[in-house]
């Protein structure tokens, strides 16, 4: 006989539902409800389970060639190849890594099948155009923030006008 103590509180179940990727929601929430004896145990099981489900969905939904292209384009647009010094590209590496992590998490919470190649390439081109446009606007509107050499501006203009 089922009793009310075996179901988790609605707010806790909604919270776990929010963080669980859509492709695994039904299975994960069903298993968590079956093992629920107290709200504390439900939360503890969810905290142990959901991060691994997120990592699993990241691995399944990752389109590595597209992700590599997007990472290369982000790094290039941030000027990672044009930097000099003891660690060339170090300033562009951290924002590129952050953007790659955001793209991976975004793909985790989307549909279960991989993105079509033509759509992925379109997104990469739109992302590059947006970054070039933001860089061009930054050079026009905020010269005190952006300190480019003339060569960097020439490449930015070429990259903006080429597409």
């Amino acid at each position: 006989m089922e009793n009310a103590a075996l179901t988790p509180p609605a707010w806790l179940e909604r919270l776990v539902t929010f963080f669980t990727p859509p492709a695994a929601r039904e299975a994960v929430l069903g298993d968590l409800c079956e093992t629920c004896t107290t709200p504390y145990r439900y939360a503890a099981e969810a905290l142990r389970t959901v991060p691994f489900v997120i990592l699993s969905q990241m691995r399944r939904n990752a389109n590595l060639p597209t992700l590599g292209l997007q990472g290369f384009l982000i790094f290039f647009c941030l000027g990672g190849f044009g930097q000099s010094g003891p660690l060339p590209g170090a300033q562009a590496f951290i924002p590129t890594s952050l953007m790659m992590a955001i793209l991976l998490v975004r793909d985790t919470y989307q549909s279960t099948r991989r993105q079509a190649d033509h759509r992925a390439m379109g997104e990469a081109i739109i992302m590059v155009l947006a970054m070039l446009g933001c860089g061009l606007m930054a050079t026009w509107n905020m010269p005190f923030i952006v300190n480019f050499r003339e060569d960097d501006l020439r490449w930015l203009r070429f990259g903006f006008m080429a597409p």
Side-chain angles (χ1 to χ4, degrees):
M1 179 171 141
E2 301 275 332
N3 63 20
L6 293 177
T7 59
W11 66 270
L12 185 58
E13 193 168 13
R14 278 195 307 269
L15 185 67
V16 173
T17 301
F18 177 75
F19 286 109
T20 307
R25 251 183 215 149
E26 185 178 351
V28 170
L29 293 176
D31 290 346
L32 288 174
C33 283
E34 286 177 6
T35 61
C36 176
T37 55
T38 64
Y40 173 75
R41 181 173 168 102
Y42 183 83
E45 288 287 327
L47 285 174
R48 280 195 299 262
T49 305
V50 172
F52 291 109
V53 172
I54 291 171
L55 289 174
S56 172
Q57 289 301 314
M58 272 186 198
R59 183 183 56 80
R60 289 175 193 217
N61 291 345
N63 189 346
L64 295 181
T66 302
L67 207 57
L69 173 67
Q70 289 172 340
F72 173 79
L73 292 174
I74 292 169
F75 190 75
F76 177 76
C77 288
L78 292 176
F81 295 112
Q83 296 174 355
S84 61
L87 294 172
Q91 290 178 336
F93 180 74
I94 293 173
T96 301
S97 301
L98 183 64
M99 284 296 298
M100 297 297 290
I102 290 170
L103 288 172
L104 271 171
V105 170
R106 184 201 65 172
D107 289 344
T108 299
Y109 286 93
Q110 289 188 358
S111 65
T112 56
R113 56 193 165 117
R114 286 191 178 192
Q115 193 176 33
D117 291 336
H118 66 278
R119 181 179 167 115
M121 293 302 291
E123 281 185 5
I125 291 170
I126 289 171
M127 182 174 51
V128 167
L129 290 176
M131 290 182 77
L132 288 172
C134 289
L136 189 62
M137 286 183 357
T139 59
W140 285 342
N141 298 331
M142 297 174 279
F144 55 90
I145 293 176
V146 181
N147 187 9
F148 286 116
R149 298 185 314 256
E150 183 60 32
D151 290 340
D152 292 337
L153 287 176
R154 209 173 287 134
W155 278 106
L156 182 65
R157 288 187 198 122
F158 172 74
F160 187 71
M161 299 304 273

